[in-house]
Amino acid sequence: MRRFVTGIAVAALLLSTAACGSSGGETESDGIDKVKVGVIPIIDVAPIYLGQQKGFFSNRKIEVSMEAGQGGAAIVPGVVSGQFQFGFSNMTSLLIAQTKNVPIKTVAAGVASTGEQGKDFGGVVVKADSPIKTAADLAGKKVAVNTLKNIGDTTVRESVRKAGGDPKGIQFVEMPFPNMPAGLQEGQVDAAWAVEPQLTQIKAAGGRLVASNFVDAAPGLTVAAYFTSTKLAGENADLVKRFTEAINESLAYADSHPDEVRAIIGSYTKIDEKTRADVTLPKWPTEINQASVETLAKLGTGDGIFDGATPDVAKLMP
Amino acid sequence: MRKVAYVLGLPVVLFAAWYLISAGSESFYAPPLRDILASFGRTWTLDRLQADVLPSLLRLTAGFLLAAVIGVALGVAIGLGPRLRATVEPVLEFFRAIPPPVLVPVIMLFAGIGNGMKIIVIVFGCVWPVLLNTVEGVRAVDSVQLDTARAYGINGFDRIRRVVLPSASPQIAAGLRQALSIAIILMVISEMFAASNGLGFTIVQFQRSFAIPEMWSGIILLGLLGFGLSLLFRLAEGRALRWYHGLRAASKGR
Amino acid sequence: MRGLLGLAGLLVIVEALPRSGLVDDGYLPPTSRIVAALGDEVVTAEFWQAVADTLTAWVIGLAVAVAAGVVVGVAIGAVPVLRAATSSTIEFLRPIPSVALIPLAVLLYGTDLGSTLLLVVYAAFWQVLVQVLYGVADVDPIADETARSFRFGAWARIRHVLWPTALPYVFTGVRLAASVALVLAVTAELVIGAPGLGKMIAVAQTSGAVPDMYALIAVTGLLGVAINLAARAFERRTLAWHQSVRGEVPA
């Protein structure tokens, strides 16, 4: 009842005082920090699950637990309010947040493109009999992305530009990744920017890859990163440092043990074994490729996704 | 005059409280009301209203009207036929219990990503209160009235039109009213998937791009919209049910 | 019995559609495959934990919403001044979609049960409140006058006149709220990622595990059916005197 009253009172009055939750995570008497990480249940976050299993976090007196929300709409607010100590988000969203002065900063790399044309974990696909042969042919077509004005459409535009096409005429439409195989098949869209495991699924159904947009956007593109609130970074630098070390160890381990990655994905997703064996895994370098983030910022500025502002990449970096 | 005071009194008090309490807010997600109001005028220009709010309203209207027709028609049939009711009720209950957001991707598979999909989502979610209330209303029709109608040889469609529907109409109106607010919710939800315009789409877009005052201004607009629609609905209800309210008022001796 | 017939019909149709090729079985798997996926799910502890989580959020949320809805509804409905003063605010707050409250819920409660509860209570509360208000407005003026002339106090009038009139409406409200609460519990879990069936559906969906997704969606539907049956049985027992129930007894 009390919670209800609080909740409704806040909802009704839209009070502003609500956002003063705890931010440090709980520290047990034996010095172990309990840390919640907001993630999306996709392949990209396999290293943190692997690191948890391997004890890379408990070694550093961190008891990590993952909170897997869909789409991540809840992750940034959760981190800002201190409900989560860390979160996982794609780089463009973090840049957008930076232009709006959201008090967050990155603490470690999340996931990166493989950098190999045709062999990346995300790409633009079309139906087998589509007249679209190269990225340049996408001009004037209807292309599905999971979120408008984000990393998908800016990088796809770059692919089209590099292939000599005109990205202006592309009509981007929003479609959740899991719907893309059907959307393509039924002709609801001409092309789709898909990531694993849907990419494998589409290719298995005869789909054809026409562009590796992450590869076209920048060499060694950092696609996503782990971040925390500036508040926690200021108040508990030691915890952040230990978390970063643990994540880095996890990333390095995941990068060199693909079989274990494929196995652990089964523990937090429902991707079947065959697909897990077939998907193209991303790269998990331990450093955020700052040059690639600068490029993303430049592309985003050109496409007008920052509402006229220019992101300050340095402020976002650890 | 007094009416105006009643309508505006509490909202004014609440808004004032919000304004004062939030004035010094430094929380990123709960900015001062001053900023929200400032962004309101900036955000909801005529162009925006036309480009985003109008399509939303059109889809809402289409979905709501379709749901009303389907709900009342099915409701009368089910309410009058105990056997039919026994057969289809579990299936209807089953579909009603499925959260519409879960079904959006499924509906998309079959209806594409255009306006049709969004209208179907709205219909799917808001047909239930209409249906349920119609069934209840029809079941509660006075058995004496029904027998009287039968005795006078009023049968079939005439009986539905002259006896069943009027008698059930206050309940149906209650259902429609609920359906309207659910329709607004689903209008927003349907625009969270595969949309490129709409009020819901815009609010989600603001949320994603961390334009928080704009997001709050959108939520306020949504509230205003719901309020306006509900006023319109009450006017229509008042007209359609004049006899019923008249009856009530008459027996209250006013 | 007849209800089972209706459900059986649905199962046959879902089996036949993909088998006949009318619908791609990658998007709508036949009943048998969905049932098989369900069979795999129900033997896991994870599944039952999720069901328990969802039902916990549902029970608590519904209880709070009903209690608050009835108390507020009777109080507002019985006092004309209050009703006039609050109606615009109610009409304003009600259409604000609970999904718009997600950032707020996360700020307050993270991905705990609390964030699900906030959305559940917010959505279910209006269902009860509106029905109670309708019910209170439906009080027979003559009965009320009669009670007044017998010098019934305010409490007695609420107890003996207002409450019996409003009761069928309250039940309709509770029944609607019960399903809305379930819908919102699952939606919140789906979008925010609070533990429960909704989260499992989200994971199945992003993983492309289509039969699992349908199986879990079906489970939410079945839960809803069970909840409604229980609500109806309860309603029939307590409202046996009311016309809408009375008409059924002889059959």
Side-chain angles (χ1 to χ4, degrees):
Chain A
M1 192 62 200
R2 196 183 58 81
R3 281 206 149 182
F4 164 74
V5 172
T6 331
I8 289 303
V10 170
L13 290 172
L14 311 163
L15 289 182
S16 54
T17 44
C20 53
S22 66
S23 70
E26 283 171 42
T27 308
E28 303 274 288
S29 51
D30 49 2
I32 292 182
D33 288 295
K34 283 194 175 170
V35 159
K36 278 192 195 171
V37 185
V39 297
I40 318 165
I42 50 174
I43 294 173
D44 308 26
V45 297
I48 193 167
Y49 284 92
L50 204 53
Q52 179 190 32
Q53 191 192 52
K54 292 284 160 195
F56 299 155
F57 290 91
S58 48
N59 279 348
R60 295 175 173 86
K61 297 196 166 187
I62 294 175
E63 189 187 324
V64 69
S65 63
M66 264 61 82
E67 302 281 341
Q70 174 138 339
I75 297 179
V76 173
V79 169
V80 170
S81 71
Q83 293 291 341
F84 309 141
Q85 282 68 50
F86 300 94
F88 177 90
S89 169
N90 87 60
M91 225 46 236
T92 300
S93 287
L94 291 175
L95 288 169
I96 297 173
Q98 200 284 317
T99 60
K100 303 282 179 180
N101 292 316
V102 182
I104 51 174
K105 65 189 299 172
T106 58
V107 295
V111 69
S113 153
T114 60
E116 284 181 68
Q117 280 293 348
K119 280 186 195 159
D120 201 1
F121 72 102
V124 182
V125 274
V126 296
K127 239 164 119 169
D129 55 1
S130 165
I132 300 170
K133 301 289 175 207
T134 67
D137 298 335
L138 290 172
K141 292 292 193 299
K142 204 182 213 180
V143 181
V145 291
N146 71 324
T147 315
L148 287 177
K149 289 183 131 195
N150 211 296
I151 196 162
D153 47 354
T154 45
T155 51
V156 170
R157 280 200 191 92
E158 181 65 5
S159 283
V160 175
R161 236 173 258 132
K162 286 218 166 138
D166 177 15
K168 276 211 179 61
I170 304 177
Q171 189 198 344
F172 286 103
V173 292
E174 250 184 58
M175 190 181 272
F177 286 129
N179 273 83
M180 289 180 181
L184 269 182
Q185 200 62 41
E186 307 292 324
Q188 293 162 10
V189 289
D190 301 312
W193 169 64
V195 295
E196 296 290 9
Q198 278 80 29
L199 195 58
T200 298
Q201 208 182 329
I202 292 170
K203 283 197 263 183
R208 191 155 42 77
L209 189 81
V210 293
S212 297
N213 50 315
F214 285 156
V215 183
D216 292 332
L221 178 73
T222 299
V223 176
Y226 291 92
F227 65 97
T228 188
S229 65
T230 48
K231 185 159 176 253
L232 182 70
E235 283 170 4
N236 202 341
D238 175 57
L239 171 63
V240 173
K241 185 167 153 274
R242 279 181 287 139
F243 181 83
T244 305
E245 284 170 12
I247 279 282
N248 285 346
E249 188 175 357
S250 308
L251 291 170
Y253 188 87
D255 212 39
S256 53
H257 296 79
D259 290 340
E260 289 185 44
V261 168
R262 289 181 204 274
I264 198 137
I265 291 169
S267 74
Y268 66 92
T269 72
K270 290 203 173 293
I271 303 175
D272 61 59
E273 209 174 329
K274 189 186 171 308
T275 313
R276 288 209 306 271
D278 290 346
V279 293
T280 307
L281 293 180
K283 281 277 169 204
W284 284 294
T286 54
E287 291 294 322
I288 295 177
N289 183 330
Q290 195 160 342
S292 75
V293 180
E294 300 276 5
T295 310
L296 262 189
K298 211 169 69 203
L299 290 177
T301 310
D303 291 336
I305 65 169
F306 301 122
D307 274 345
T310 316
D312 186 343
V313 176
K315 270 196 182 159
L316 199 59
M317 290 299 124
Chain B
M1 193 56 218
R2 209 151 129 197
K3 233 175 173 174
V4 174
Y6 275 136
V7 171
L8 295 179
L10 191 57
V12 166
V13 170
L14 289 178
F15 258 83
W18 180 7
Y19 195 97
L20 292 176
I21 294 172
S22 69
S25 169
E26 290 183 6
S27 157
F28 184 79
Y29 279 93
L33 182 56
R34 192 177 10 152
D35 297 0
I36 297 172
L37 292 180
S39 73
F40 194 98
R42 213 168 46 231
T43 309
W44 302 103
T45 57
L46 206 58
D47 280 353
R48 187 99 201 215
L49 289 177
Q50 214 164 33
D52 283 316
V53 181
L54 193 64
S56 287
L57 283 178
L58 291 178
R59 289 191 285 256
L60 177 82
T61 315
F64 178 70
L65 290 180
L66 254 173
V69 170
I70 297 173
V72 171
L74 271 181
V76 169
I78 295 173
L80 287 178
R83 286 185 165 190
L84 179 63
R85 187 158 71 89
T87 311
V88 299
E89 198 157 51
V91 175
L92 293 178
E93 286 301 331
F94 175 74
F95 280 111
R96 180 166 73 109
I98 298 175
V102 183
L103 278 182
V104 174
V106 178
I107 292 176
M108 238 153 95
L109 291 176
F110 300 103
I113 52 175
N115 289 330
M117 176 276 272
K118 285 156 199 120
I119 293 171
I120 292 176
V121 171
I122 295 175
V123 171
F124 189 90
C126 72
V127 73
W128 309 114
V130 185
L131 182 63
L132 202 82
N133 275 276
T134 309
V135 172
E136 296 294 306
V138 170
R139 279 170 67 202
V141 172
D142 198 332
S143 31
V144 178
Q145 267 186 30
L146 272 182
D147 290 341
T148 315
R150 205 169 285 135
Y152 277 100
I154 304 176
N155 274 314
F157 185 71
D158 254 8
R159 195 162 79 220
I160 293 176
R161 201 167 60 94
R162 300 242 180 107
V163 182
V164 176
L165 279 182
S167 162
S169 54
Q171 278 261 343
I172 295 177
L176 285 175
R177 184 112 88 106
Q178 278 171 27
L180 184 63
S181 56
I182 295 178
I184 298 174
I185 293 177
L186 286 176
M187 173 192 91
V188 176
I189 290 182
S190 72
E191 287 168 1
M192 289 166 76
F193 301 84
S196 44
N197 62 20
L199 183 53
F201 170 78
T202 318
I203 292 178
V204 171
Q205 202 65 43
F206 284 143
Q207 187 191 327
R208 280 191 201 139
S209 59
F210 308 98
I212 303 303
E214 286 83 352
M215 178 192 89
W216 281 116
S217 80
I219 294 177
I220 293 180
L221 182 67
L222 210 54
L224 286 174
L225 189 72
F227 183 53
L229 287 175
S230 153
L231 269 185
L232 269 181
F233 183 85
R234 202 175 318 169
L235 280 179
E237 186 191 4
R239 254 163 189 265
L241 292 183
R242 196 182 280 156
W243 60 272
Y244 176 75
H245 295 304
L247 204 67
R248 290 273 147 187
S251 41
K252 275 186 184 171
R254 275 177 214 157
Chain C
M1 262 330 279
R2 285 183 168 276
L4 292 180
L5 209 74
L7 282 179
L10 179 69
L11 294 182
V12 170
I13 292 171
V14 173
E15 179 75 30
L17 276 180
R19 292 238 179 261
S20 67
L22 278 175
V23 180
D24 191 324
D25 67 351
Y27 315 146
L28 178 68
T31 311
S32 48
R33 286 236 307 275
I34 299 176
V35 171
L38 185 61
D40 293 342
E41 290 286 351
V42 293
V43 294
T44 60
E46 193 196 351
F47 170 79
W48 292 106
Q49 182 59 47
V51 172
D53 285 335
T54 301
L55 285 181
T56 310
W58 173 77
V59 164
I60 301 177
L62 182 64
V64 173
V66 168
V70 168
V71 170
V72 175
V74 168
I76 291 178
V79 184
V81 178
L82 270 184
R83 177 158 201 183
T86 51
S87 80
S88 62
T89 312
I90 291 175
E91 289 309 328
F92 182 77
L93 288 178
R94 198 160 58 111
I96 296 179
S98 358
V99 283
L101 296 179
I102 286 175
L104 188 73
V106 175
L107 279 172
L108 285 172
Y109 306 113
T111 51
D112 289 341
L113 179 63
S115 54
T116 309
L117 275 185
L118 178 64
L119 300 191
V120 170
V121 170
Y122 186 85
F125 172 74
W126 303 115
Q127 302 286 338
V128 183
L129 181 70
V130 168
Q131 286 294 328
V132 173
L133 287 179
Y134 266 98
V136 173
D138 200 37
V139 168
D140 191 335
I142 297 174
D144 198 42
E145 286 304 319
T146 315
R148 271 175 207 274
S149 60
F150 276 103
R151 299 193 184 282
F152 275 34
W155 180 246
R157 280 214 313 281
I158 289 179
R159 171 81 184 72
H160 296 291
V161 181
L162 194 152
W163 184 242
T165 313
L167 203 55
Y169 289 87
V170 173
F171 273 106
T172 306
V174 170
R175 206 139 37 79
L176 285 172
S179 31
V180 166
L182 185 68
V183 166
L184 257 290
V186 175
T187 305
E189 290 159 5
L190 182 83
V191 181
I192 302 177
L197 280 172
K199 183 174 169 181
M200 282 187 84
I201 293 176
V203 171
Q205 195 184 326
T206 39
S207 304
V210 181
D212 289 81
M213 181 182 91
Y214 276 96
L216 292 166
I217 292 177
V219 170
T220 62
L222 290 175
L223 274 182
V225 175
I227 284 168
N228 190 60
L229 285 179
R232 261 193 195 287
F234 183 63
E235 183 180 8
R236 200 161 299 147
R237 290 182 66 158
T238 35
L239 281 184
W241 48 271
H242 192 260
Q243 172 78 27
S244 64
V245 180
R246 206 168 59 201
E248 263 174 67
V249 179

